Each structure stands twice: as C-alpha cells, then as structure tokens.
C-alpha cells in the first residue's frame, strides 16, 4: 500500500511540475503574456547561490493581480535551515517589499530607487537590515542587504544567484 501511495505522489508531482506548467498559458487566460507593471520582471524565476555547504534558493513569481510573491530557502546537507516568504505589492501607491523571515517579525521596505534590472528597498526604522537591493548583472541576480539605508553604505551580506528555472 505504501508503494502505491508513493507512486501516486510521484505521478502528481510530475503532473504539477512538468505537464501542467507546459500547458498553463491556457489556464491563466493569457496572464503569462501580460507584462509586469511593477518593472521588476527581472526578478522572476528561480535562482540559486552555492556558498560552501549551503545552497540558497530564491524564487519570484510573475506579477499577478498587482502582487509578486517570492520565497527563499537555505539548505545545508539536504535540510532547510532557514526560509523567508516575500511579497511585493502596492501600499498607499508605493511598491513595497514585505519579508517574513523564519522565526522573525514580518517587516516591510518601500521601493526607494528603481532602474532597469535594479530595485532598492529601504526601511530606515528597521534594526537590520535597513536596505535590500537587487541587481541583474550579466544574467546573475545579485542581492545585497545593508545595515543602514544610506545610499553609499557597504553591504552587510551579498548573494550571487544563478537562474536555475525560468519564470512561470
């Protein structure tokens, strides 16, 4: 019986991750072809950064209904050590990144600066980080977090992600 359940789960996973996405454009009523209105389409997809024994995955969805969803997972030796859920949407007319890190309080950052392939979010009232920046450089997604919201601050931590799955 256990083998049958495992087999059913494998078939379901194959359908969800291969067959359905291939034909999902018809399920979304053309949503896949609608350009992002937030200017952050460069984030979309699944990204991975390998740092020694750690692999950090960051995934961003397309913008749908005025909202872009994301998450990160840090995996060490096959085990998730930390995770974070992310959301970008408009609040009071301002694009806002809201982060909910594992075992921490949810916090929001307002979009302070944006150009093609770059977005900088700040919250000078948050203890750490006060600034989060994403930049697309040579096909890699570079993410920085900063202790202060000052424009010339040095990053406290950085990640260089390679795209491992396209946007869908």
């Amino acid at each position: 019986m256990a083998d049958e359940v495992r087999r059913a789960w494998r078939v379901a996973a194959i359908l969800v991750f291969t067959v359905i996405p291939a034909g999902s454009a018809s399920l979304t009523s053309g949503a896949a072809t609608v350009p992002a209105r937030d200017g952050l389409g460069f984030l979309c997809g699944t990204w991975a950064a390998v740092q020694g024994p750690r692999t950090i995955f960051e995934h961003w969805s397309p913008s749908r209904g005025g909202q872009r969803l994301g998450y990160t997972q840090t995996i060490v030796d096959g085990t998730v050590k930390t995770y974070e859920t992310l959301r970008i949407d408009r609040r009071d007319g301002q694009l806002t990144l809201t982060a909910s890190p594992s075992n921490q309080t949810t916090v929001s950052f307002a979009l302070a600066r944006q150009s093609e392939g770059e977005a900088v979010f700040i919250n000078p009232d948050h203890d750490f980080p006060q600034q989060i920046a994403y930049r697309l450089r040579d096909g890699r997604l570079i993410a920085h977090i900063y202790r202060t919201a000052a424009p010339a601050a040095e990053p406290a931590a950085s990640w260089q992600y390679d795209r491992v799955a396209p946007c869908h």
Side-chain angles (χ1 to χ4, degrees):
M1 183 68 153
D3 288 337
E4 291 175 24
V5 171
R6 274 191 226 108
R7 196 170 308 126
W9 277 110
R10 274 191 229 127
V11 170
I14 289 168
L15 287 171
V16 168
F17 293 111
T18 59
V19 176
I20 292 173
S24 63
S26 62
L27 298 174
T28 59
S29 302
T33 60
V34 176
R37 292 192 172 100
D38 60 12
L40 301 174
F42 71 93
L43 291 173
C44 196
T46 302
W47 304 85
V50 177
Q51 297 176 332
R54 297 184 308 164
T55 301
I56 300 104
F57 290 97
E58 183 152 339
H59 174 83
W60 285 99
S61 73
S63 181
R64 293 185 180 107
Q67 185 178 75
R68 184 179 298 279
L69 298 176
Y71 66 85
T72 64
Q73 290 178 305
T74 300
I75 299 173
V76 180
D77 297 326
T79 302
V80 175
K81 294 297 182 181
T82 63
Y83 62 90
E84 181 173 30
T85 59
L86 304 159
R87 181 180 75 239
I88 297 174
D89 56 8
R90 289 199 183 275
R91 301 240 178 108
D92 300 321
Q94 173 81 41
L95 273 178
T96 302
L97 168 66
T98 301
S100 298
S102 52
N103 304 315
Q104 296 181 41
T105 304
T106 297
V107 63
S108 294
F109 299 83
L111 182 67
R113 199 168 63 250
Q114 181 178 14
S115 61
E116 186 173 336
E118 178 180 32
V120 178
F121 299 88
I122 64 167
N123 180 341
D125 297 326
H126 188 247
D127 58 349
F128 176 79
Q130 290 189 356
Q131 185 178 169
I132 300 170
Y134 288 101
R135 291 176 181 87
L136 188 63
R137 297 285 185 265
D138 300 322
R140 300 182 93 190
L141 183 65
I142 312 300
H144 301 289
I145 58 174
Y146 299 83
R147 293 193 187 287
T148 71
E154 287 294 317
S158 298
W159 297 267
Q160 292 190 25
Y161 293 101
D162 292 305
R163 188 184 300 268
V164 295
C167 185
H168 61 275

